[in-house]
Amino acid sequence: RGADHIDEVVFVDQTPIGRTTRSNPASYIGAFDVIRERFARLGESRERGYTAGTFSFNSGTGRCPICSGNGFEHVEMQFLSDVYLRCPDCDGQRYRPEVLEVRLNHRHPDAKPGDVGLNVADILNLTVAQAAQVFAQERDVLRALQPIADVGLDYVKLGQPVPTLSGGEAQRLKLAGYLAEAAKGGS
């Protein structure tokens, strides 16, 4: 009884989502697309000719040229475990300095007097709960972040590399991805 109300059944297991450090919770569910659009609409971005792609560390235009947007350099060791060193050029922030100059007129929840707005690296360093506070007046951003909070991952940083999530966290992030798709009307 009631089976006609079920559109789809999905098996969500604990297999890893991905192995790339570029994948993060915000990009996985599409919230980072909305945030990058916010940056692209700023007057300073338009003056400089920046698009949403400029604020992606996966594209060549805005990412750090030294670490290719990874935030670290991978040093292969012949007989030892490989070493990952923070990028000396971007200091782990993944972006070119001129891209980091563009700031949203939002304040960090723990901001001190005199702190200026947040750049894209600052946003990626926020937890989902902090980002919800920062974007409290922006419904489209909140709507994009809500599936992550709904599955109990509001403590995860937006830019946290997906391979660093535990199996259970990855499983919940997959579930959040399905919830985000359903909210868009994609399933």
Side-chain angles (χ1 to χ4, degrees), residues 156-173:
V156 172
K157 290 189 177 190
L158 296 181
Q160 181 173 336
V162 167
T164 65
L165 298 174
S166 72
E169 289 170 332
Q171 185 177 27
R172 287 186 283 157
L173 186 59

Side-chain angles (χ1 to χ4, degrees), residues 13 23 46-47 60 63 74 84 95 102 106 108 114 116 118 122 124-125 129-131 137 151 155 163-164 186:
D13 62 5
S23 182
R46 289 194 311 257
E47 287 173 13
R63 69 181 179 188
H74 178 207
Y84 295 90
Y95 294 92
V102 178
H106 293 61
H108 190 284
V116 292
L118 301 171
D122 296 332
L124 288 171
N125 203 35
Q130 289 171 328
Q137 303 303 315
V151 297
Y155 61 90
T164 65

Side-chain angles (χ1 to χ4, degrees), residues 8 34 48 61-62 65 72 133 142 157 163 169 172 180 184:
E8 183 179 14
V34 178
R48 295 178 179 200
T61 58
F72 61 86
Q133 289 177 344
L142 285 176
K157 290 189 177 190
E169 289 170 332
R172 287 186 283 157
K184 291 179 194 171

Side-chain angles (χ1 to χ4, degrees), residues 22-135:
R22 292 176 196 264
S23 182
N24 59 54
S27 63
Y28 185 79
I29 66 154
F32 196 40
D33 295 337
V34 178
I35 292 168
R36 290 185 304 112
E37 285 293 329
R38 279 277 183 271
F39 277 99
R41 282 189 289 217
L42 293 172
E44 187 174 2
S45 294
R46 289 194 311 257
E47 287 173 13
R48 295 178 179 200
Y50 292 172
T51 65
T54 306
F55 297 96
S56 170
F57 46 78
N58 290 318
S59 75
T61 58
R63 69 181 179 188
C64 172
I66 303 301
C67 66
S68 299
N70 284 317
F72 61 86
E73 292 182 286
H74 178 207
V75 180
E76 292 187 38
M77 306 294 281
Q78 243 178 349
F79 300 106
L80 301 170
S81 296
D82 291 354
V83 176
Y84 295 90
L85 302 172
R86 181 180 296 256
C87 176
D89 199 51
C90 70
D91 194 31
Q93 293 190 322
R94 300 178 163 194
Y95 294 92
R96 295 175 181 265
E98 58 270 19
V99 172
L100 294 174
E101 291 171 359
V102 178
R103 295 178 173 274
L104 289 173
N105 196 17
H106 293 61
R107 293 178 50 83
H108 190 284
D110 301 328
K112 296 169 184 65
D115 284 354
V116 292
L118 301 171
N119 64 33
V120 67
D122 296 332
I123 298 292
L124 288 171
N125 203 35
L126 294 173
T127 65
V128 173
Q130 289 171 328
Q133 289 177 344
V134 167
F135 293 106

Side-chain angles (χ1 to χ4, degrees), residues 136-159:
Q137 303 303 315
E138 300 184 39
R139 297 177 93 164
D140 55 338
V141 178
L142 285 176
R143 192 176 310 119
L145 293 172
Q146 192 59 48
I148 302 174
D150 287 345
V151 297
L153 291 177
D154 56 345
Y155 61 90
V156 172
K157 290 189 177 190
L158 296 181

